[in-house]
Amino acid sequence: MKKLIETLQNIFKIPELKSRILYTLGLLAVYRFGTFVILPGIDSVEMEASFGTQGAGGNLLDLLNVFMGGAFARGSILALGIMPYISASIVVQLLGAVLPQFQKLRTEGESGQKKLNQITRYLTVVVTLAQAISYIYYLRSQYQSAITNIDGPFFWITSALILTA
């Protein structure tokens, strides 16, 4: 136990490591706060109450909700989490193994890697928009009582833009 305490003290003596740890903890705090900010037009209490009651429990969406820190069941602005970026990154890596243009970018060094990162970011926006629309459709079909303004396009547009942003 004494060695653990010494190690923790030594970690915070290194300025760069200390700043990185504090930065990471700050980002985690912002993410946790964001999971409690609900999309406009959703009654989160109604939605959370009915979230696990559709099936026998233990389905894939319950597992996704656990990975998202409860944001999926609350209808949070961070309900999609980091999944769209991961999906886009996987697609770009797979394209690098299949398409000669992407293979060339992978071998170009730093400039090619910058282009691949830029492509990944643009693809992330497209994937996020598609997943946001799917998530809104899911909310609309499963939790009609939790959504206050289902019929108008305002709910669709604002929710999709907020989830994408």
Side-chain angles (χ1 to χ4, degrees), residues 122-152:
Y122 287 135
L123 186 59
T124 299
V125 172
V126 173
V127 170
T128 305
L129 191 58
Q131 286 184 0
I133 292 168
S134 300
Y135 180 65
I136 295 164
Y137 182 78
Y138 166 75
L139 291 178
R140 187 172 169 252
S141 65
Q142 295 294 321
Y143 305 103
Q144 290 182 359
S145 61
I147 300 174
T148 58
N149 185 11
I150 288 180
D151 297 329

Side-chain angles (χ1 to χ4, degrees), residues 45-59:
V45 175
E46 174 74 28
M47 193 167 147
E48 272 191 279
S50 63
F51 186 73
T53 61
Q54 271 78 22
N59 62 18

